[in-house]
C-alpha cells in the first residue's frame, strides 16, 4: 500500500527560520538579519505534494489550522501553491482541521 | 483513446458499516465505473481514521481510494451514486494526470540541472551557482 496516511511519508526535518541577531558596530542598534532559507520541498526534491500525506503537511499548519505563510516557512512560490492546494484538499476530506478547536 | 484522464477518488464511508456491506458498496462503485467505460487502476482501503472534525455526527470514518482512468463520464456517474448513498459521508475527486505530468517535468529539469552541476558539461560559474543570498 502506497497511500497510508501516517506510514510512508516524506519526512522533512524541522528547522526554524534563521534569524540572526546582529549588533551594529556602534553597539546601539540591534538589527535582525534574516538569512535566506532554502525551500524544504526543493531541498527534499519533492515535485508532487500529495494531500493524503498528512505528515508532510502538518509542519505547515502550526496552530489554528492556518497555512503558514512562506515568509516564515521559506517555501518557494511554486511549492507554496502546491502546498496550499494540498492543505485545502486535506481539509475537505477531514484529514486536517479547518480551524483549531 | 488519446485523451485518457486519470482521477483519484477518495471517499469516506460511515464507520458503522460492516465488512460485507463495505465490500459490496466498493464493488458496486467499481462496477459503475467499468459500465461507463472507465478503468479502475487502483483500489486501496486506507482503513479507519479519526476525522479532523465531525461529519454527520461521526468522529471517525473508513477511507477508500480509487484510481480511475477514463473520460470523466464515469466520474460523473460515480459521484452521482456517492451523493445518494447513505453510507458515503464525503468524497472528493482529483484529476491527477496533469499534476503528475508536471511533476515529471520538474523532476527531469532537476536531474538535468544536477548533471550540469556535476560537470557533465562545462558551464560558467555564475550559471551553476546556487540561488544567491540576499
Ligand atoms: Zn520549492
Amino acid at each position: 500500500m502506497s497511500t497510508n496516511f501516517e506510514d510512508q511519508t516524506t519526512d522533512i526535518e524541522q528547522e526554524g527560520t534563521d534569524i540572526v541577531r546582529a549588533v551594529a558596530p556602534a553597539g546601539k542598534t540591534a538589527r535582525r538579519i534574516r538569512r535566506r532559507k532554502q525551500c524544504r520541498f526543493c531541498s527534499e526534491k519533492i515535485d508532487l505534494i500529495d494531500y493524503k500525506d498528512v505528515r508532510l503537511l502538518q509542519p505547515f499548519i502550526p496552530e489554528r489550522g492556518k497555512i503558514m505563510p512562506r515568509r516564515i516557512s521559506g517555501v518557494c512560490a511554486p511549492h507554496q501553491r502546491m502546498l496550499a492546494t494540498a492543505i485545502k484538499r486535506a481539509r475537505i476530506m477531514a484529514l486536517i482541521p479547518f480551524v483549531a478547536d | 483513446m488519446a485523451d485518457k484522464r486519470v482521477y483519484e477518488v477518495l471517499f469516506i464511508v460511515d464507520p458503522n458499516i460492516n465488512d460485507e456491506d463495505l465490500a459490496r458498496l466498493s464493488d458496486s462503485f467499481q462496477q459503475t465505473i467499468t459500465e461507463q467505460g472507465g478503468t479502475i487502476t487502483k483500489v486501496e482501503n486506507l482503513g479507519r481514521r479519526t476525522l479532523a472534525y465531525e461529519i454527520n455526527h461521526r468522529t471517525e470514518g473508513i477511507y477508500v481510494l480509487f484510481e480511475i482512468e477514463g473520460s470523466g463520464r464515469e466520474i460523473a456517474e460515480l459521484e452521482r451514486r456517492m451523493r445518494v448513498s447513505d453510507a458515503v459521508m464525503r468524497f472528493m475527486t482529483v484529476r491527477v494526470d496533469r499534476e503528475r505530468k508536471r511533476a515529471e517535468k520538474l523532476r527531469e529539469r532537476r536531474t538535468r540541472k544536477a548533471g550540469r552541476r556535476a560537470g557533465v558539461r562545462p558551464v560558467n560559474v555564475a550559471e551553476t551557482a546556487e540561488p544567491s543570498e540576499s
Side-chain angles (χ1 to χ4, degrees):
Chain A
M1 291 222 172
S2 62
T3 334
N4 248 336
F5 296 113
E6 248 92 59
D7 299 350
Q8 295 143 7
T9 44
T10 342
D11 265 314
I12 285 182
E13 77 265 35
Q14 282 266 46
E15 44 173 305
T17 326
D18 285 304
I19 294 169
V20 185
R21 209 174 267 281
V23 181
K28 281 174 187 170
T29 39
R31 274 184 307 160
R32 279 178 163 205
I33 298 163
R34 197 181 283 114
R35 225 189 314 148
R36 198 101 197 97
K37 199 163 139 288
Q38 250 280 234
C39 166
R40 289 185 201 178
F41 297 102
C42 284
S43 51
E44 296 280 325
K45 298 179 170 57
I46 295 167
D47 299 312
L48 195 71
I49 302 176
D50 184 5
Y51 75 93
K52 301 185 292 306
D53 191 345
V54 175
R55 275 245 300 247
L56 179 68
L57 308 180
Q58 218 108 56
F60 301 96
I61 37 167
E63 18 78 75
R64 301 221 54 83
K66 285 186 176 176
I67 302 173
M68 190 187 267
R70 63 187 205 88
R71 74 186 134 80
I72 299 183
S73 64
V75 173
C76 73
H79 274 127
Q80 181 75 3
R81 267 194 301 274
M82 285 191 225
L83 180 65
T85 305
I87 289 173
K88 288 168 188 175
R89 286 172 178 170
R91 280 174 180 162
I92 293 169
M93 293 310 288
L95 297 171
I96 55 171
F98 273 99
V99 286
D101 5 323
Chain B
M1 225 178 282
D3 57 338
K4 264 280 191 289
R5 300 170 177 189
V6 184
Y7 299 94
E8 251 186 26
V9 181
L10 181 65
F11 58 101
I12 310 173
V13 181
D14 192 303
N16 298 329
I17 199 169
N18 63 53
D19 291 349
E20 298 84 72
D21 284 343
L22 177 63
R24 208 172 296 136
L25 186 74
S26 176
D27 287 346
S28 85
F29 284 157
Q30 291 174 52
Q31 202 187 323
T32 300
I33 294 154
T34 44
E35 274 170 8
Q36 295 290 319
T39 314
I40 298 136
T41 50
K42 197 205 278 177
V43 176
E44 265 182 52
N45 190 332
L46 303 171
R48 237 163 246 273
R49 197 191 145 82
T50 304
L51 304 172
Y53 50 87
E54 282 189 19
I55 303 174
N56 303 345
H57 306 294
R58 302 274 186 273
T59 53
E60 61 171 26
I62 301 165
Y63 283 74
V64 183
L65 180 74
F66 283 174
E67 194 184 274
I68 298 157
E69 240 176 66
S71 61
R73 268 222 329 274
E74 63 294 306
I75 299 298
E77 182 57 18
L78 176 67
E79 289 194 334
R80 192 195 61 77
R81 290 212 39 212
M82 285 182 167
R83 213 167 281 127
V84 297
S85 166
D86 291 328
V88 178
M89 298 158 64
R90 187 153 297 182
F91 60 86
M92 184 170 68
T93 307
V94 173
R95 188 175 166 186
V96 291
D97 53 326
R98 288 208 197 102
E99 288 180 9
R100 286 179 187 171
K101 209 170 279 175
R102 185 166 171 262
E104 183 58 34
K105 231 176 243 169
L106 289 171
R107 202 178 61 81
E108 276 170 17
R109 200 171 63 188
R110 205 190 36 248
T111 48
R112 262 206 316 278
K113 263 188 190 159
R116 269 213 303 274
R117 250 199 298 279
V120 174
R121 185 165 67 83
V123 206
N124 70 49
V125 188
E127 218 181 308
T128 45
E130 292 294 331
S132 59
E133 317 290 311
S134 56

